[in-house]
């Protein structure tokens, strides 16, 4: 199985976003032409402006009040499903058992390797996929203020990781997401 390498912005380690190392996780990518560098290539296209109208990638920086390119240059981005879920006609598909197993292993590995402070999960499917990962502890959720979202704190390697479950931007009211992001940054 192909495994997409995560995007790690060039300012992630030195500056992060407001001094924090943020991981951004989606659920899956869809493309008929899958390869290990797909996520890196995708975010490079977002940063360069070659993909100006991909709503998922445009909405997230707006919640933080950051320019798209500057935002992605400061975060790590990856998908739970380690390879493409299929072509465009399968964009809403659920991971196979093999993809889910690989995804569960990769989440903690990426978070630990990149010493994340916070992992923001922009997908209800992605949030539920984290349940049952040894060490992820999303079963021990706390409410994120009055936003309707939840977070959990987990020991990952030698660091405490805060994991926040949010909605996919396609289904999320922007105002509510901005409020949630402000609370996330204050955690």
């Amino acid at each position: 199985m192909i495994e997409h390498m995560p995007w790690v912005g060039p300012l992630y380690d030195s500056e992060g976003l407001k001094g924090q190392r943020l991981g951004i996780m989606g659920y899956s990518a869809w493309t008929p032409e899958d390869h290990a560098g797909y996520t890196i290539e995708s975010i490079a296209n977002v940063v360069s402006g070659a993909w100006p109208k991909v709503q998922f990638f445009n909405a997230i920086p707006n919640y933080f009040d950051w320019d798209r390119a500057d935002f992605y240059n400061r975060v790590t981005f990856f998908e739970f499903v380690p390879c493409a879920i299929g072509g465009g006609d399968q964009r809403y598909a659920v991971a196979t058992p093999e993809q889910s197993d690989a995804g569960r292993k990769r989440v903690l590995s990426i978070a630990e390797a990149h010493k994340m402070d916070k992992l923001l999960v922009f997908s209800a499917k992605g949030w539920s996929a984290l349940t049952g990962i040894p060490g992820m502890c999303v079963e021990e959720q706390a409410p994120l203020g009055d936003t309707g979202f939840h977070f959990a704190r987990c020991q990952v390697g030698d660091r405490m990781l805060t994991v926040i479950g949010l909605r996919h931007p396609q289904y999320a009211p922007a105002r509510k997401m901005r409020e949630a992001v402000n609370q996330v940054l204050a955690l």
Side-chain angles (χ1 to χ4, degrees), residues 114-130:
H114 297 287
K115 300 187 181 316
M116 286 178 193
D117 298 314
K118 296 174 182 166
L119 175 61
L120 289 77
V121 181
F122 282 91
S123 162
K125 281 193 285 190
W127 180 249
S128 66
L130 298 181

Side-chain angles (χ1 to χ4, degrees), residues 12-66:
Y12 175 79
D13 284 322
S14 63
E15 297 179 31
L17 192 79
K18 296 190 177 186
Q20 300 178 44
R21 291 181 174 163
L22 300 183
I24 306 295
M25 188 181 94
Y27 180 70
S28 64
W30 50 272
T31 180
E33 299 172 16
D34 202 16
H35 56 90
Y38 184 76
T39 297
I40 294 171
E41 181 181 287
S42 297
I43 301 299
N45 283 328
V46 170
V47 168
S48 73
W51 287 7
K53 296 182 181 182
V54 181
Q55 199 263 345
F56 179 86
F57 293 118
N58 289 335
I60 294 172
N62 288 337
Y63 302 150
F64 291 83
D65 289 325
W66 279 74

Side-chain angles (χ1 to χ4, degrees), residues 36-166:
Y38 184 76
T39 297
I40 294 171
E41 181 181 287
S42 297
I43 301 299
N45 283 328
V46 170
V47 168
S48 73
W51 287 7
K53 296 182 181 182
V54 181
Q55 199 263 345
F56 179 86
F57 293 118
N58 289 335
I60 294 172
N62 288 337
Y63 302 150
F64 291 83
D65 289 325
W66 279 74
D67 167 79
R68 183 180 61 215
D70 199 23
F71 176 83
Y72 286 107
N73 280 328
R74 295 171 178 277
V75 301
T76 291
F77 179 89
F78 67 102
E79 300 91 2
F80 172 78
V81 179
C83 57
I85 201 130
D89 60 332
Q90 295 175 307
R91 65 172 11 110
Y92 300 112
V94 176
T96 66
E98 179 186 21
Q99 290 169 328
S100 290
D101 288 344
R104 282 191 278 281
K105 291 173 186 166
R106 103 190 221 107
V107 171
L108 289 175
S109 173
I110 291 170
E112 185 172 8
H114 297 287
K115 300 187 181 316
M116 286 178 193
D117 298 314
K118 296 174 182 166
L119 175 61
L120 289 77
V121 181
F122 282 91
S123 162
K125 281 193 285 190
W127 180 249
S128 66
L130 298 181
T131 303
I133 298 176
M136 185 49 78
C137 70
V138 295
E139 292 85 358
E140 303 165 19
Q141 300 175 19
L144 183 63
D146 59 356
T147 64
F149 300 120
H150 293 85
F151 73 97
R153 288 200 167 100
C154 315
Q155 188 72 36
V156 177
D158 63 349
R159 300 177 68 84
M160 187 60 69
L161 173 68
T162 302
V163 185
I164 304 97
L166 299 166

